[in-house]
Amino acid sequence: MAEWETIQGWLAEAERVVVLTGAGISAESGVPTFRGAGGLWRQHRPEDLATPEAFARGPRLVWEWYDWRRARVAKAEPNPGHLALAQLERRVPDFTLITQNVDGLHQRAGSQRVLKLHGDIWTLHCLGCGLEETNHDVPLREIPPRCSCGGLFRPGVIWFGEALPADVLRHAMEAAAHAQVFLVVGTSAVVQPAASLPLLAQQNGAKLVEINLEETPLSAQADASFWGKAGELLPRLLEAAVKP
Ligand code: OAD
């Protein structure tokens, strides 16, 4: 297991860095995670709210839940973890941030190149005409929202049982396969295909570094795992890498 200073050195020297984030990085901003204590999947069953079948059965119920989540996210601010990653992007020549989060907090922290594996909670997708629209209304003006074509809007996120956007996944896999350092932050690493990206990177020679509150299925394989809050650990770990 590599030491803290060694990892700081890897991150400071690497020219190709990929970071994969999950709900844990936004936890300190007040956005609930999915699993674990207080997680969304403790209070609701995913199949009731986050599948195409659930939406077909009850678009109003699904939209009420997303309206509530959008309100939570709208009140949240990026935390030092998001900000440290935005700084890292400015220093590393070939940097890719892959996120499973739909909250947009990385972009608000200043990250420019973000691969959104699971979509965006601020995007609406019309089931009638296919229009994609950015919408920041909190609360929504009508539930369920409708497109000007009369069609029903669905949230522009990926649900269970749905394929990820092919081009986004392809870019993520390419970046992973070329990374020198692959940093995984705040994900339980149980949802595929996101969870396989760190291993793809490691098989192709990347050092795999994890930050989480607790062990995950990746921990046994990681070159280093650091246990603690992303908002506290990331700025310290990246100190040397983002130094002007
Ligand atoms: P999870 O809720 O499954 O996992 C959050 C992880 O973050 C856990 O491993 C926590 O230990 C860790 N964690 C919590 N607070 C933290 C903190 N302050 N600092 C560091 N780590 C912290 O969230 P994801 O792994 O993102 O998919 O979940 C993956 C996908 O499952 C989501 O994108 C969503 C969900 O169902 C879809 O909606 C398609």
Side-chain angles (χ1 to χ4, degrees):
M1 187 65 69
E3 300 290 333
W4 178 262
E5 288 78 18
T6 309
I7 316 294
Q8 283 188 314
W10 290 347
L11 285 158
E13 280 155 31
E15 301 204 329
R16 297 185 303 282
V17 176
V18 177
V19 182
L20 171 68
T21 63
I25 195 165
S26 296
E28 289 155 79
S29 296
V31 181
T33 61
F34 293 93
R35 297 168 186 83
L40 294 169
W41 298 149
R42 287 280 174 97
Q43 298 145 42
H44 309 279
R45 297 189 318 158
E47 54 273 38
D48 290 340
L49 294 166
T51 62
E53 295 76 20
F55 189 71
R57 271 196 311 271
R60 164 171 283 276
L61 176 72
V62 171
W63 265 118
E64 279 168 354
W65 188 61
Y66 276 92
D67 196 39
W68 171 80
R69 284 181 59 198
R70 284 161 58 103
R72 287 291 294 257
V73 171
K75 276 195 285 187
E77 294 294 333
N79 67 53
H82 297 108
L83 294 167
L85 292 179
Q87 268 184 299
L88 186 64
E89 176 175 350
R90 292 195 275 274
R91 301 287 302 171
V92 177
D94 188 345
F95 180 86
T96 307
L97 177 54
I98 306 169
T99 189
Q100 299 165 86
N101 299 346
V102 296
D103 56 30
L105 288 177
H106 283 305
Q107 293 86 335
R108 281 174 53 199
S111 288
Q112 304 274 331
R113 291 191 305 273
V114 185
L115 295 179
K116 295 182 281 183
L117 282 183
H118 293 167
D120 188 329
I121 204 164
W122 303 112
T123 300
L124 271 51
H125 175 85
C126 176
L127 293 174
C129 67
L131 178 79
E132 294 261 322
E133 188 177 282
T134 301
N135 172 307
H136 285 276
D137 294 345
V138 173
L140 285 160
R141 285 178 205 172
E142 57 169 345
I143 293 186
R146 289 201 169 267
C147 179
S148 52
C149 81
L152 190 59
F153 273 126
R154 63 162 277 178
V157 300
I158 307 299
W159 283 326
F160 287 97
E162 293 187 315
L164 269 52
D167 53 334
V168 178
L169 181 60
R170 184 170 47 78
H171 278 123
M173 291 175 72
E174 280 168 11
H178 291 102
Q180 291 166 308
V181 181
F182 194 106
L183 182 59
V184 191
V185 185
T187 175
S188 57
V190 294
V191 172
Q192 296 294 353
S196 64
L197 293 169
L199 300 176
L200 172 69
Q202 198 183 38
Q203 279 153 15
N204 283 278
K207 300 291 188 193
L208 178 55
V209 181
E210 178 185 42
I211 292 183
N212 202 301
L213 291 183
E214 57 190 29
E215 254 183 63
T216 75
L218 292 175
S219 308
Q221 273 104 311
D223 294 285
S225 295
F226 298 115
W227 314 127
K229 292 184 175 176
E232 292 168 12
L233 290 184
L234 264 181
R236 284 173 42 216
L237 189 66
L238 301 180
E239 224 163 46
V242 303
K243 214 171 41 206

